[in-house]
């Protein structure tokens, strides 16, 4: 009986670790809407972080960035080095991200590889 309980605990721990590493797929392969999305080394912001970003964006209204000709931006886009990435102030608490504003959207960028990891509309 003890072996069965120990085996069950090991299987449960392994499945929990696998769940955490996959970026949050729910059982059956469905994405878990509340799980962070792993995009390189940075996870997408949670609801509270998104609220903080929107509050900063609405109060500061940073100017939109003009992209080089032929560059379009969406989640997963790697921005060229000619696009200036901006930092959030420390009080926003998003120091691991950089951002650009293009049109009516704010794009969160992983500064290490310049990949857009999340879009805030």
């Amino acid at each position: 009986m003890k072996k069965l309980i120990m085996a069950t605990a090991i299987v449960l721990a392994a499945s929990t670790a696998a769940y955490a590493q996959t970026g949050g797929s729910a059982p059956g392969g469905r994405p878990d809407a509340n799980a962070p999305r792993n995009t390189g080394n940075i996870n997408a912001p949670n609801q509270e972080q998104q609220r903080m970003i929107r509050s900063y964006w609405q109060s500061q209204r940073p100017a939109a960035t003009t992209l080089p000709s032929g560059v379009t931006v969406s989640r997963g886009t790697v921005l060229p080095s000619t696009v200036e990435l901006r930092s959030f102030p420390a009080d926003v608490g998003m120091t691991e991200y950089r951002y650009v504003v293009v049109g009516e959207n704010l794009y969160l960028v992983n500064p290490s590889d310049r990949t857009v990891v999340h879009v805030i509309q």
Side-chain angles (χ1 to χ4, degrees):
M1 183 66 161
K2 287 183 183 180
K3 287 182 181 181
L4 178 62
I5 293 171
M6 183 61 98
T8 303
I10 290 170
V11 169
L12 181 60
S15 66
T16 302
Y19 171 81
Q21 291 175 355
T22 61
S25 281
R30 297 179 317 272
D32 181 349
N34 296 320
R37 305 288 188 272
N38 190 352
T39 49
N41 295 329
I42 298 179
N43 290 325
N46 62 36
Q47 295 291 340
E48 178 61 20
Q49 291 169 322
Q50 288 183 45
R51 188 192 64 71
M52 295 281 295
I53 292 167
R54 280 191 184 94
S55 176
Y56 165 75
W57 185 18
Q58 290 170 353
S59 68
Q60 299 302 312
R61 286 292 174 201
T65 299
T66 302
L67 296 176
S69 180
V71 174
T72 58
V73 63
S74 62
R75 187 169 168 217
T77 299
V78 177
L79 296 174
S81 60
T82 56
V83 175
E84 178 186 357
L85 303 180
R86 299 177 185 156
S87 299
F88 289 104
D91 63 331
V92 175
M94 303 301 297
T95 57
E96 70 271 26
Y97 295 101
R98 301 298 176 267
Y99 73 92
V100 295
V101 175
V102 179
E104 298 296 317
N105 297 322
L106 184 143
Y107 297 87
L108 296 179
V109 180
N110 178 341
S112 66
D113 63 6
R114 302 182 64 85
T115 300
V116 174
V117 296
H118 194 74
V119 181
I120 305 232
Q121 300 177 333

